[in-house]
Amino acid sequence: MPREITYREALREGLDEELAHDENVVIIGEEVAEYNGAYKVTEGLWKKWGDKRIIDAPISEAGFIGMGIGASMLGVRPVMELMFYSFAYVAFDQMMNNAATCRYMSGGLTNCPIVVRGPANGGTNVGATHSHTPENIFANMPGLKVVSPSDPYDVKGLIKSAIRDNDPVYFMESTVLYGMSGEVPSNDELDDGELIIPLGKAKVKKEGTDITLIAHGRAVVTSLLAAEILAEKYDINAEVLDLRSIRPLDENAIMESVRKTHRAIYIEENKPFCGVGAQISSMIMEQAFDDLDAPVLRITSADAPAFYSPPIEKLQLPTAEEIVERALTIC
Amino acid sequence: MAAKTKSKATAEYSDAPINQSLTDEDKIEMLRKMVRIRRFEQTSLKHYQGDKIGGFLHLYIGQESVAVGSISLLGDNDHVITAYRDHGHALSVGMNMNECMAELFGKATGCSKGKGGSMHYFAPDKNYWGGHGIVGGQTPLGAGLAFALKYKGLKGCCLCYLGDGAINQGAFHEALNLAALWDLPVIYIIENNGYSMGTSQARSSAHPEEGLAARAKGYNMAWNKIEGVSLYEIRAGVSEAVERAHNESKPTIIEIMTYRHKGHSVADANAEKYRTKEEIQRYIEEHDPINFWKKTLLEEGVITEDDYKKINREAGDEANAAAEFAEKSPFPDESEIFDDIYWEVDNNTEAGRTGRHFFHK
Ligand SMILES: Cc1ncc(C[n+]2csc(CCOP(=O)(O)OP(=O)(O)O)c2C)c(N)n1
Ligand SMILES: [Mg+2]
């Protein structure tokens, strides 16, 4: 029986292993230590690693993330938790200006090996201020890396790579995925003795021949559902490609799939304007135009702030039904 | 941190002119307001647990005196802005239970048409500017409301509420400097309930020995620290700041010691882990602002036990009726999703009709 654990547990395991792997790894954030994490990702880590490695911070995101960036220049490897990625906006200058450009402006003399992680998703009725999806905004900035894992296996392998990476990595999770279970081999089942997934490698989550559904984060789960419906009801064999890492981006995997299926839709819970799908569809158009049998479509969240009212917010997010409906227009 | 309820201190504050001018009706009205907030909160808790309400629910139970006492001092040109624990302030400024409860239920009849939810109540017609979900985010806005009053030559002030954890946001410090530098009539009220989520105040804030508000010294700003259990003390302390704002256009920071009986939000599973059951019990028994005020009014002969029961019953009925109203109200229409984003589009002006504003599909 392969081992099944939750996304939350897999993430915690990755953090725990990196704390063991490198004594410079330190976790800082609001309620990460004594409270065991607002979403229980860091549960038990403070007890195990103590005050020096797991640190509760006051509600000062600009201060503690900026501090982490500074510490990273001197060899500390901070893993900062944002209770919600929406709160990154309070620390925007530190995350955009300092983390992203110090290396460039110093002519390569510095680097910032920091990870800023936390949930970046809507769909939980917490209103517009708490439902931002800033992956496209941060991915827009050269110098930054953006990762958005969609299942327990990936979140473990990717957090370990993110922590070992020598550049700033913004790691965006989802509160909706924390409870999701999936297969994650234990280390003794692995040839290398540990699970490491390099940044910049997409993964085919389901093979197909007729259309490629490209997605990141929770939209991958929605896309897999849509692929099932397309197969069962319409005899359409969709391929689902999970980017996993948005920047660096696995361009080859995208083009390879599109050259095979000749059709693509990008699905994301991000907003449409300059969303991740805008970048991807433009690249497909430039590089695989002759392989396309239909325009590349994009499915995003509604172009509006998150609506609190639970039944209405549901309508703002991409659904499997919407993906199916739009896929049928080009298949 | 404990709010001491000395009767001597109470006598002293009840003698303050601002409290001497209170009629029996005024005093009863403040009691009614506090009880209405509590019944509203208890009723919303019940419906949150019954899955009628989504997202977060941050209850104000235990802190009612802060909003009721301070807002009782305000006039037509005085404004209010607060954080996400905002139901008490909303009812204090005169928003009604129906619109507040319907907002929690996500209904079209809610104060924000179901768009904002628990953390984002608004009522500009009652000088109430939200309801803000980002910790500390409202503090520069509070300075801005004060700036606007001063700019327009109006004699007024802005009460800007924040938590003991929120004082560590950078935006708050920038706002303090602006308020002091430009003499803005803003009053920052730190509702010190001892905790920011599971973090005690001692673990979150470095501050002068005299307390959190004393950080004002660094900005050469007036400050005060008040025990929050007594409406008399709150009114006496806050009224000084209101006068300062009205007459000198100067800011103040006030720290009001209070306590939340419930968890940080209803989802706070650790509410009895980071503080002891005994501590919570002690505050409920000895420092409940409603019991304290009720006792004061009984002692003064302003109310009888029966009067209190009636107030309590009426508030409970009102809260239940509000829940029924919320339950019966319709959900917003899907078409509402794209309303209320741009003023120009909503008002179908030329600017709103020029160029594409939305990019869905
Ligand atoms: C910028 C930002 N960081 C973190 C949060 C999450 N959060 C919401 S309330 C809260 C605690 C605030 O405590 P305090 O200011 O004391 O107010 P109280 O809840 O006690 O009323 C935290 C950490 C947030 N909403 N915004
Ligand atoms: Mg507090």
Side-chain angles (χ1 to χ4, degrees):
Chain A
M1 257 305 263
R3 187 179 71 137
E4 282 217 358
I5 55 175
T6 63
Y7 188 100
R8 173 190 284 114
E9 287 161 346
L11 182 52
R12 184 187 306 143
E13 231 176 55
L15 294 170
D16 188 35
E17 286 178 21
E18 291 312 294
L19 283 157
H21 175 257
D22 183 346
E23 63 182 13
N24 283 314
V25 173
V26 52
I27 295 179
I28 304 177
E30 290 152 26
E31 311 293 348
V32 295
E34 296 192 21
Y35 195 88
N36 279 316
Y39 285 99
K40 300 287 172 268
V41 169
T42 55
E43 187 160 26
L45 295 183
W46 175 64
K47 207 163 178 197
K48 176 169 177 186
W49 295 101
D51 287 334
K52 184 172 178 195
R53 311 288 302 280
I54 317 289
I55 304 174
D56 277 329
I59 315 169
S60 309
E61 287 85 355
F64 69 75
I65 289 179
M67 189 196 77
I69 295 165
S72 76
M73 292 176 174
L74 214 55
V76 178
R77 303 189 82 88
V79 180
M80 319 301 280
E81 177 173 301
L82 283 167
M83 198 179 282
F84 281 79
Y85 231 98
S86 291
F87 309 155
Y89 296 1
V90 169
F92 203 62
D93 175 58
Q94 298 301 326
M95 292 176 72
M96 281 298 241
N97 253 330
N98 286 345
T101 65
C102 274
R103 176 164 181 76
Y104 194 72
M105 294 186 303
S106 68
L109 296 177
T110 63
N111 65 312
C112 301
I114 188 174
V115 173
V116 182
R117 52 153 291 269
N121 60 284
T124 59
N125 324 130
V126 287
T129 55
H130 283 55
S131 304
H132 294 292
T133 47
E135 52 270 34
N136 59 329
I137 297 176
F138 288 115
N140 181 260
M141 189 68 195
L144 301 180
K145 298 183 176 179
V146 176
V147 178
S148 176
S150 73
D151 69 20
Y153 182 89
D154 288 349
V155 81
K156 178 168 180 191
L158 289 167
I159 192 68
K160 286 168 65 74
S161 287
I163 294 172
R164 294 185 193 189
D165 200 279
N166 284 316
D167 292 308
V169 181
Y170 295 171
F171 198 88
M172 303 188 193
E173 305 152 13
S174 163
T175 54
V176 184
L177 293 178
Y178 284 147
M180 167 203 219
S181 287
E183 284 180 23
V184 183
S186 59
N187 285 344
D188 50 23
E189 294 173 73
L190 294 164
D191 293 342
D192 300 340
E194 61 181 339
L195 177 60
I196 301 255
I197 300 171
L199 310 187
K201 284 276 183 206
K203 179 162 147 191
V204 175
K205 283 279 161 77
K206 177 192 168 296
E207 296 217 28
T209 48
D210 302 335
I211 182 171
T212 306
L213 306 178
I214 316 168
H216 69 269
R218 186 161 73 114
V220 173
V221 178
T222 319
S223 300
L224 286 166
L225 255 171
E228 263 175 47
I229 302 173
L230 284 168
E232 275 169 26
K233 283 206 186 154
Y234 303 98
D235 203 25
I236 292 171
N237 186 5
E239 177 145 303
V240 177
L241 182 68
D242 180 354
L243 289 189
R244 305 202 287 195
S245 141
I246 293 165
R247 186 171 186 149
L249 178 73
D250 191 348
E251 191 171 19
N252 288 340
I254 298 169
M255 298 312 156
E256 219 168 85
S257 179
V258 172
R259 291 203 170 100
K260 179 172 70 172
T261 65
H262 310 294
R263 292 175 173 81
I265 306 183
Y266 198 91
I267 303 105
E268 61 189 316
E269 297 195 352
N270 218 321
K271 303 278 180 259
F273 197 98
C274 298
V276 176
Q279 173 68 24
I280 307 293
S281 61
S282 130
M283 289 166 64
I284 296 173
M285 193 266 293
E286 283 178 29
Q287 298 178 37
F289 188 74
D290 290 338
D291 291 288
L292 286 175
D293 285 345
V296 178
L297 302 184
R298 298 164 53 211
I299 297 176
T300 66
S301 282
D303 197 15
F307 207 122
Y308 157 67
S309 186
I312 311 298
E313 190 187 12
K314 222 180 259 165
L315 306 173
Q316 292 188 300
L317 298 170
T319 60
E321 291 68 33
E322 185 184 0
I323 298 171
V324 169
E325 191 184 300
R326 305 225 37 221
L328 293 177
T329 67
I330 54 167
C331 281
Chain B
M1 186 188 78
K4 297 233 168 53
T5 57
K6 291 183 213 129
S7 50
K8 180 168 160 277
T10 307
E12 201 177 294
Y13 292 111
S14 66
D15 286 345
I18 192 79
N19 290 328
Q20 283 293 310
S21 66
L22 287 171
T23 64
D24 286 359
E25 283 68 41
D26 295 335
K27 293 177 186 178
I28 294 168
E29 189 48 33
M30 287 194 288
L31 177 66
R32 189 187 310 281
K33 280 220 158 117
M34 290 200 292
V35 173
R36 286 177 64 239
I37 293 170
R38 182 147 316 173
R39 291 288 168 266
F40 178 88
E41 297 288 64
Q42 288 167 336
T43 305
S44 67
L45 171 60
K46 192 174 90 190
H47 292 286
Y48 185 88
Q49 287 163 340
D51 259 356
K52 294 286 178 192
I53 298 171
F56 292 136
L57 185 68
H58 305 90
L59 299 176
Y60 199 58
I61 294 176
Q63 303 184 204
E64 295 91 342
S65 52
V66 179
V68 169
S70 52
I71 289 169
S72 72
L73 298 161
L74 301 187
D76 289 349
N77 285 325
D78 298 316
H79 294 256
V80 168
I81 188 164
T82 187
Y84 45 84
R85 199 179 297 285
D86 58 351
H87 312 161
H89 310 78
L91 294 174
S92 295
V93 300
M95 289 172 72
N96 68 55
M97 283 199 200
N98 282 1
E99 59 184 334
C100 290
M101 193 67 81
E103 187 62 30
L104 299 182
F105 279 58
K107 296 301 180 79
T109 51
C111 52
S112 300
K113 303 183 204 160
K115 289 183 168 171
S118 164
M119 302 194 284
H120 309 111
Y121 283 7
F122 284 84
D125 62 320
K126 301 189 172 63
N127 294 359
Y128 179 79
W129 299 97
H132 294 267
I134 297 299
V135 166
Q138 76 281 16
T139 57
L141 303 188
L145 292 163
F147 179 92
L149 288 168
K150 184 172 180 182
Y151 189 83
K152 293 182 168 189
L154 296 168
K155 185 171 177 164
C157 71
C158 175
L159 295 189
C160 177
Y161 300 84
L162 66 157
D164 50 290
I167 64 167
N168 299 314
Q169 274 294 357
F172 178 49
H173 290 268
E174 298 188 19
L176 289 180
N177 184 50
L178 295 176
L181 188 68
W182 292 341
D183 289 334
L184 304 179
V186 58
I187 300 165
Y188 288 106
I189 296 188
I190 303 169
E191 300 198 45
N192 186 352
N193 58 14
Y195 297 86
S196 46
M197 283 189 78
T199 305
S200 68
Q201 186 218 298
R203 292 206 299 123
S204 68
S205 298
H207 57 83
E209 241 174 66
E210 304 97 300
L212 305 181
R215 280 187 182 177
K217 291 194 282 189
Y219 297 99
N220 198 22
M221 193 189 295
W223 64 278
N224 194 1
K225 182 174 174 176
I226 293 174
E227 294 298 349
V229 75
S230 157
L231 286 177
Y232 283 144
E233 183 165 352
I234 290 172
R235 281 174 50 86
V238 176
S239 69
E240 280 175 20
V242 171
E243 303 239 313
R244 183 175 299 118
H246 284 179
N247 301 329
E248 302 166 48
S249 188
K250 293 261 192 206
T252 306
I253 307 182
I254 301 176
E255 175 180 2
I256 302 188
M257 308 307 287
T258 182
Y259 199 80
R260 62 166 155 77
H261 292 179
K262 303 285 183 186
H264 168 71
S265 74
V266 181
D268 177 2
N270 293 358
E272 292 185 355
K273 286 188 186 158
Y274 53 80
R275 28 180 225 181
T276 62
K277 277 201 173 94
E278 292 72 38
E279 175 184 308
I280 300 169
Q281 209 45 41
R282 180 159 49 81
Y283 273 95
I284 291 175
E285 281 166 16
E286 297 171 25
H287 305 284
D288 182 311
I290 294 182
N291 280 342
F292 187 87
W293 190 240
K294 174 192 162 195
K295 208 171 118 243
T296 306
L297 297 194
L298 284 171
E299 275 167 16
E300 289 183 13
V302 173
I303 58 163
T304 64
E305 194 60 58
D306 279 348
D307 293 335
Y308 177 76
K309 281 191 185 136
K310 181 156 178 272
I311 288 170
N312 201 11
R313 198 174 49 242
E314 284 170 355
D317 290 347
E318 188 188 357
N320 284 332
E324 204 169 302
F325 168 83
E327 177 71 42
K328 283 190 182 144
S329 294
F331 280 110
D333 192 75
E334 185 177 355
S335 65
E336 277 280 321
I337 289 174
F338 296 103
D339 289 344
D340 307 322
I341 297 173
Y342 293 107
W343 187 94
E344 302 285 1
V345 174
D346 293 338
N347 288 283
N348 195 23
T349 61
E350 179 153 7
R353 291 191 303 270
T354 308
R356 184 170 172 181
H357 286 74
F358 297 104
F359 298 86
H360 193 53
K361 272 177 213 164

